[in-house]
Amino acid sequence: MDSEGFLNGRPTLVQADDLWLTVPAHSGRVNPARNGTHTHPGAHPGGNTGERAGGLAILRGISLRVAEAEAVGIVGPSGSGKTSLLMLLAGLERPTSGTVTIAGTRLADLDEDALARFRRRTTGIVFQSFQLIPTMTALENVLVPLELAGHRDGARDARAALAAVGLDHRLDHLPGELSGGEQQRVALARAFVTRPRLLLADEPTGNLDSQTGSAIMDLLFGLQRRHGTTMLLITHDPALAARCDRRLAVRDGRLAEGGPHPVSSPLPGSLPGPLHGGAARQAAP
Ligand SMILES: Nc1ncnc2c1ncn2[C@@H]1O[C@H](COP(=O)(O)OP(=O)(O)OP(=O)(O)O)[C@@H](O)[C@H]1O
């Protein structure tokens, strides 16, 4: 076993150990990763997280492991903590306690600059709201992560990434000149252009009609399989969750118990999928 460990014969890429995220009650904290929206306890009508001494526990002891190249669907009610979990795995938020280890690197050991560099090298993120830079063309948006990663001449890679999502004819268009589906294609090209080992996707089809969303998901799964990217995908759509190798259900800040635990994952909250020992697909409750 190497330093990253193995999960069902594959190297573990993502490991979270006993993650807690507690915020002061009525903190009114603004989290830029959530599109600059003002998030605070109670902002979510469906939120059902619990009070903990001195604050509100948003995540309550989540542990999970995800293998290299595995696609894991994260399901659960609104306000259960799915996005918060993704933010911790991305290193965009720090847990109150517990550790996140990505590709053998403990995020807690990195200062902010090192964490940003590590994230740029390792992780791609796709948001429901696309999060493109409105004043930059499609090509320029895709160039951003390449330039941040120090590629001097990334134009060829950026063009190829846009071609891979069928947008080679819209390179010079601004996001405002593109449809929602096209904007999400640009976001996919931007997320994959640096060939990240980990792709985090938060409801990537949430703002799209079902036909456009389905085309986006075909692209996303195609890119993920082609590049062997490890993916965690938050979705409310059971059909999308079923396309993943495995599902994790988050409820009330915890991974939900229930369902037979697959051979691949001894941790609670995992629902089996076909990747692992041919276990039957099982939709999350
Ligand atoms: N920075 C923060 N400060 C205070 N409360 C927060 C913060 N971030 C999230 N919350 C609260 O934590 C709970 C979980 O939010 P989160 O966005 O992770 O849920 P979710 O499962 O992704 O929901 P949805 O499916 O609606 O997107 C919510 O009650 C939310 O209001």
Side-chain angles (χ1 to χ4, degrees):
M1 179 181 282
D2 66 16
S3 61
E4 294 179 20
F6 280 83
L7 183 61
N8 207 30
R10 292 193 197 185
T12 299
L13 191 85
V14 177
Q15 179 159 352
D17 291 302
D18 198 19
L19 287 182
W20 284 78
L21 179 64
T22 305
V23 296
H26 313 300
S27 68
R29 226 152 38 96
V30 173
N31 181 349
R34 295 170 193 270
N35 207 13
T37 47
H38 202 66
T39 55
H40 58 84
H44 248 293
N48 55 355
T49 48
E51 293 283 346
R52 202 193 191 199
L56 187 87
I58 293 171
L59 297 181
R60 304 198 276 174
I62 287 191
S63 298
L64 59 86
R65 288 199 291 158
V66 181
E68 192 102 56
E70 193 177 18
V72 173
I74 300 180
V75 300
S78 183
S80 56
K82 304 181 296 299
T83 298
S84 302
L85 174 61
L86 227 60
M87 292 301 114
L88 297 191
L89 298 179
L92 288 167
E93 284 193 58
R94 304 269 193 184
T96 309
S97 64
T99 56
V100 175
T101 306
I102 308 287
T105 298
R106 275 166 47 109
L107 301 191
D109 293 340
L110 306 178
D111 65 22
E112 290 308 316
D113 287 347
L115 184 58
R117 279 197 302 276
F118 178 80
R119 188 169 48 242
R120 287 199 290 266
R121 263 204 329 272
T122 314
T123 309
I125 309 180
V126 180
F127 300 93
Q128 175 174 344
S129 51
F130 320 137
Q131 303 271 27
L132 299 176
I133 299 171
T135 52
M136 288 186 165
T137 65
L139 184 63
E140 289 166 346
N141 266 284
V142 178
L143 271 168
V144 168
L146 289 168
E147 286 173 355
L148 287 172
H151 293 252
R152 286 241 179 90
D153 181 20
R156 209 175 59 173
D157 288 351
R159 280 200 192 88
L162 281 161
V165 297
L167 277 187
D168 34 351
H169 59 304
R170 306 299 296 270
L171 303 180
D172 299 323
H173 288 248
L174 295 170
E177 299 167 332
L178 301 172
S179 70
E182 287 166 343
Q183 289 184 57
Q184 197 58 303
R185 285 170 191 257
V186 176
L188 288 185
R190 180 182 59 181
F192 277 98
V193 72
T194 53
R195 301 283 165 89
R197 292 176 75 179
L198 176 63
L199 195 283
L200 302 173
D202 192 348
E203 285 277 351
T205 60
N207 281 355
L208 304 173
D209 64 70
S210 61
Q211 198 178 348
T212 307
S214 149
I216 289 292
M217 288 316 297
D218 288 348
L219 266 175
L220 177 57
F221 277 104
L223 289 163
Q224 182 257 330
R225 304 279 186 221
R226 190 177 325 144
H227 297 305
T229 314
T230 304
M231 177 165 78
L232 280 93
L233 165 69
I234 293 180
T235 180
H236 284 110
D237 181 347
L240 283 186
R243 286 180 71 170
C244 294
D245 303 312
R246 185 157 61 96
R247 266 104 17 232
L248 296 174
V250 180
R251 277 187 204 286
D252 204 11
R254 294 192 173 94
L255 288 188
E257 298 282 350
H261 298 159
V263 190
S264 62
S265 171
L267 298 169
S270 300
L271 304 173
L275 182 70
H276 309 292
R281 278 175 193 261
Q282 180 175 334

